[in-house]
Amino acid sequence: LKVDGLAINLTYENGQLVRGLTRGNGVTGEDVTLNVKTIKVLPHQLSGKDLPSLIEVRGEVFFPLAAFNELNESLEEAGKALFANPRNGAAGSLRQKDPRVTASRPLSLVVHGIGARKDISFDSQSDAYGLLAKLGLPTSERFKVCSTRADVEKFIAYYNEHRHDVEHEI
């Protein structure tokens, strides 16, 4: 499922998280490395053997809906401006100048793609996705490898009906 969040690029060198960038203006991203490191589900060190010397991982930072609603309630009680939606809340939280503010917000993240890489290969999108999970990165459980167009349409129809059962906006 497409997560309605903030796009993030994470760079790992020799298994170590060295950089986190937003998409920025589409050419130059905003460096949010210190802030992204406060997201609890994101490993600072990849797991497994034979780690790639370089891997750029792409994903989405998001606010789980229940946590977003709790944050807006606390902002309202404090007389502060509310976030318009979870996506804006995630973006505003990740772009804080003080990483302690970001750390106080229960952001989450899922990864879904691979950009630049060295010493690592895969034959398909689903193989790449499995590799991300094997490296210890947070991936979504809401995916399916489909062999027919009918299977794809069935998957889409299911989540059209159950979109409000998901912990994040789609």
Side-chain angles (χ1 to χ4, degrees):
L1 299 179
K2 169 68 174 91
V3 177
D4 188 21
L6 175 70
I8 192 83
N9 281 20
L10 305 165
T11 303
Y12 287 84
E13 293 176 358
N14 300 312
Q16 188 72 34
L17 177 62
V18 296
R19 193 167 29 267
L21 300 172
T22 67
R23 185 173 52 204
N25 63 11
V27 175
T28 303
E30 182 179 351
D31 189 332
V32 291
T33 304
L34 294 177
N35 292 4
V36 81
K37 284 183 172 184
T38 69
I39 299 174
K40 291 174 180 56
V41 299
L42 181 65
H44 297 191
Q45 175 69 45
L46 297 177
S47 57
K49 298 178 182 177
D50 301 320
L51 296 175
S53 59
L54 171 72
I55 185 167
E56 176 191 15
V57 180
R58 297 184 179 151
E60 293 282 326
V61 174
F62 68 93
F63 238 119
L65 291 171
F68 172 77
N69 292 331
E70 287 175 19
L71 174 63
N72 260 356
E73 287 172 13
S74 68
L75 291 172
E76 186 173 38
E77 288 173 9
K80 296 182 179 180
L82 306 182
F83 285 111
N85 55 56
R87 184 181 188 283
N88 288 357
S93 297
L94 194 63
R95 290 184 167 131
Q96 292 292 315
K97 296 208 183 298
D98 183 350
R100 292 175 294 187
V101 175
T102 304
S104 74
R105 309 254 171 98
L107 296 174
S108 196
L109 171 117
V110 292
V111 298
H112 53 70
I114 298 175
R117 62 190 181 273
K118 290 182 183 172
D119 309 319
I120 198 166
S121 63
F122 45 88
D123 295 323
S124 66
Q125 174 84 20
S126 58
D127 285 347
Y129 205 67
L131 176 65
L132 294 170
K134 190 175 173 182
L135 292 171
L137 292 160
T139 57
S140 175
E141 296 177 9
R142 292 183 168 81
F143 75 95
K144 181 177 183 179
V145 176
C146 298
S147 56
T148 67
R149 181 182 177 106
D151 288 343
V152 172
E153 290 170 350
K154 186 176 176 182
F155 183 82
I156 292 169
Y158 177 85
Y159 279 106
N160 274 337
E161 187 176 326
H162 294 277
R163 70 183 307 119
H164 298 293
D165 300 339
V166 178
E167 68 276 4
H168 54 74
E169 290 201 332
I170 302 172

